Amino acid sequence: MKFQGTDAYVATDDLTVAVNAAVTLERPLLVKGEPGTGKTELAKQVAGALGLKMIEWNIKSTTKAQQGLYEYDAVSRLRDSQLGDERVHDVKNYIKQGKLWQAFDSDEKVVLLIDEIDKADIEFPNDLLQELDKMEFHVYETGETIQARHRPIIIITSNNEKELPDAFLRRCFFHYIRFPDTDTMKKIVEVHHPGIKEQLLTTALTQFYEIRDMSGLKKKPSTSEVLDWLKLLLAEDLTPEDLRRDGANALPKLHGALLKNEQDVHLFERLAFMARSQG
């Protein structure tokens, strides 16, 4: 069971090595990187390439680890008991399986994506240590122990918004997705916009990387944003000459696809003002 990338996803050599190492070691793969660098998409592509079903657990700031195991609806059971409902005699009627339970209980091996784990409380990763390590957990309401029928391939993503506990990191295989260089980015663009004219692509990417390298930028545009920008350039049938900027107009064409806050827009406007003043 080897991952080699797919036609729809450009995976670098070090990324494919990381995925296959995590599969071999049977450890969760912790993937970090800038937002928009394809961390979530990686799990979907791994599942597709290996012919496995994917179960996705999207983490929010309010998510608790227990929700990944199961949730017991005591309120509904109390209400049903007051109404004389026969369902109340079986506690299993009030237990909702979480994503980990679904992955453990699957008849076949699955890919489990735990997406943006750093959004949750700092204790969230620690609360999953034993379950991810032993691949089992106890259901106190029924007294049963749920064990994984097939150890899932677990991919965990993080945007690095907060540090993860050392005990959790020790149980993972780690990979950081570096921002693509120009050659890799051209391969990614070719997947999404096949046949794009070389001159337009070169001019656009040159401008894109100049923007990313600009000092003082609050949010650097990501891979997903440059793909959106190129889609707009193609839809508007713009030429390389249309993309050229001068001192009077420092903002890139259709900049709303690349610059996502007013501070960065003002930065370009100030540069244009300074250029006009010097001129």
Side-chain angles (χ1 to χ4, degrees):
M1 188 173 284
K2 292 283 187 181
F3 175 68
Q4 302 293 342
T6 69
D7 293 339
Y9 188 89
V10 177
T12 57
D13 291 342
D14 57 343
L15 179 56
T16 57
V17 167
V19 171
N20 291 320
V23 172
T24 300
L25 293 172
E26 296 188 326
R27 289 187 177 275
L29 173 63
L30 174 60
V31 183
K32 289 187 179 182
E34 291 183 30
T37 50
K39 299 185 297 297
T40 301
E41 185 63 24
L42 171 65
K44 298 176 182 177
Q45 295 299 327
V46 168
L50 300 182
L52 304 177
K53 175 186 173 184
M54 191 183 87
I55 296 175
E56 188 171 353
W57 186 14
N58 296 300
I59 307 303
K60 302 178 181 178
S61 60
T62 56
T63 303
K64 302 299 181 186
Q66 179 64 32
Q67 294 172 297
L69 307 180
Y70 67 93
E71 292 183 89
Y72 170 53
D73 192 350
V75 174
S76 292
R77 192 181 188 195
L78 175 61
R79 183 189 63 237
D80 288 349
S81 68
Q82 293 171 337
L83 296 174
D85 194 318
E86 289 297 320
R87 297 174 69 252
V88 75
H89 299 298
D90 188 353
V91 69
K92 291 183 178 180
N93 291 324
Y94 303 93
I95 291 178
K96 178 183 178 182
Q97 293 184 2
K99 299 296 184 180
L100 261 72
W101 189 333
Q102 294 173 24
F104 287 4
D105 202 41
S106 175
D107 291 331
E108 56 187 10
K109 196 178 191 71
V110 301
V111 173
L112 172 63
L113 169 63
I114 304 178
D115 201 24
E116 298 189 333
I117 194 172
D118 53 325
K119 280 187 175 180
D121 183 84
I122 189 61
E123 291 303 319
F124 179 92
N126 282 332
D127 291 342
L128 289 176
L129 288 180
Q130 295 302 317
E131 288 77 10
L132 294 181
D133 206 23
K134 296 184 177 181
M135 287 288 133
E136 66 178 34
F137 63 90
H138 188 70
V139 182
Y140 296 99
E141 288 76 10
T142 63
E144 62 184 324
T145 297
I146 306 299
Q147 294 180 319
R149 297 185 183 182
H150 305 277
R151 195 177 188 100
I153 297 173
I154 301 175
I155 297 179
I156 304 170
T157 72
S158 169
N159 288 328
N160 237 357
E161 292 183 6
K162 63 169 67 85
E163 289 295 323
L164 298 174
D166 289 345
F168 180 79
L169 295 175
R170 283 198 300 272
R171 288 166 167 81
C172 298
F173 190 93
F174 172 76
H175 181 74
Y176 183 85
I177 297 182
R178 294 182 177 86
F179 196 82
D181 58 23
T182 304
D183 290 340
T184 304
M185 186 64 81
K186 285 183 177 180
K187 294 177 183 177
I188 294 172
V189 171
E190 182 61 29
V191 168
H192 294 270
H193 304 298
I196 187 171
K197 293 180 180 178
E198 180 67 27
Q199 191 176 359
L200 175 64
L201 178 58
T202 300
T203 302
L205 289 185
T206 298
Q207 195 169 122
F208 169 73
Y209 281 100
E210 286 175 352
I211 293 170
R212 274 189 57 88
D213 292 339
M214 182 170 292
S215 177
L217 207 62
K218 184 175 181 181
K219 183 195 177 301
K220 295 181 179 182
S222 68
T223 304
S224 61
E225 287 160 344
V226 73
L227 292 175
D228 287 345
W229 186 49
L230 287 168
K231 183 176 181 179
L232 290 174
L233 299 183
L234 291 171
E236 295 293 329
D237 198 23
L238 297 182
T239 66
E241 290 71 27
D242 293 328
L243 298 185
R244 301 196 191 285
R245 294 179 293 165
D246 53 39
N249 184 20
L251 281 168
K253 295 286 186 182
L254 301 166
H255 64 271
L258 298 175
L259 305 176
K260 297 302 178 73
N261 61 70
E262 63 278 9
Q263 177 178 315
D264 291 342
V265 173
H266 292 160
L267 174 62
F268 278 86
E269 291 174 342
R270 287 197 301 273
L271 291 174
F273 176 77
M274 290 169 61
R276 287 195 299 269
S277 299
Q278 292 172 359

